[in-house]
Amino acid sequence: MIHVIATISLKPGVRAAYLDILNANVPNVLAEDGCHGYAATVDVDSGLAIQEPLRDDAVVIVEKWETLDALNTHLGMPHMADYKAKVVDMVAGVSLQVLQDV
């Protein structure tokens, strides 16, 4: 199983609008072959001293894919191109962690 942690750094003040667009696309992603999970998350104050500072302008997408091929197919899907075009002016940066079960 492949796990992806995609951290989307947003321009200030656009998180709510970004989440509207992202969440509208989630059913399309979940319907893809090989997708076992795709969820948008935001920081929550846990009260734990070890927690990193909260980020008001970040969204973390937690993904689970059957294979790397399924992940790569996902990245080329038409609905992903549409999503990217809608959010391009909102996004300041993206970082990915791609992990596998051991």
Side-chain angles (χ1 to χ4, degrees):
M1 199 63 61
I2 301 299
H3 306 271
V4 178
I5 308 299
T7 302
I8 315 300
S9 300
L10 299 167
K11 295 178 181 173
V14 302
R15 187 164 77 177
Y18 172 84
L19 285 170
D20 286 344
I21 295 166
L22 176 67
N23 286 326
N25 194 40
V26 168
N28 297 323
V29 177
L30 291 173
E32 292 179 39
D33 288 338
C35 182
H36 293 273
Y38 190 89
T41 65
V42 296
D43 292 351
V44 62
D45 186 358
S46 66
L48 298 172
I50 196 168
Q51 183 175 357
E52 295 286 329
L54 300 181
R55 302 162 296 171
D56 292 333
D57 296 314
V59 172
V60 177
I61 305 169
V62 180
E63 309 176 30
K64 190 173 184 179
W65 296 94
E66 194 168 317
T67 63
L68 281 172
D69 286 341
L71 170 60
N72 285 316
T73 298
H74 157 71
L75 296 173
M77 296 296 283
H79 58 262
M80 292 307 295
D82 291 343
Y83 150 78
K84 288 175 188 175
K86 291 176 183 175
V87 302
V88 67
D89 292 331
M90 299 178 182
V91 175
V94 177
S95 68
L96 290 180
Q97 290 176 276
V98 180
L99 311 154
Q100 68 178 4
D101 290 339
V102 294

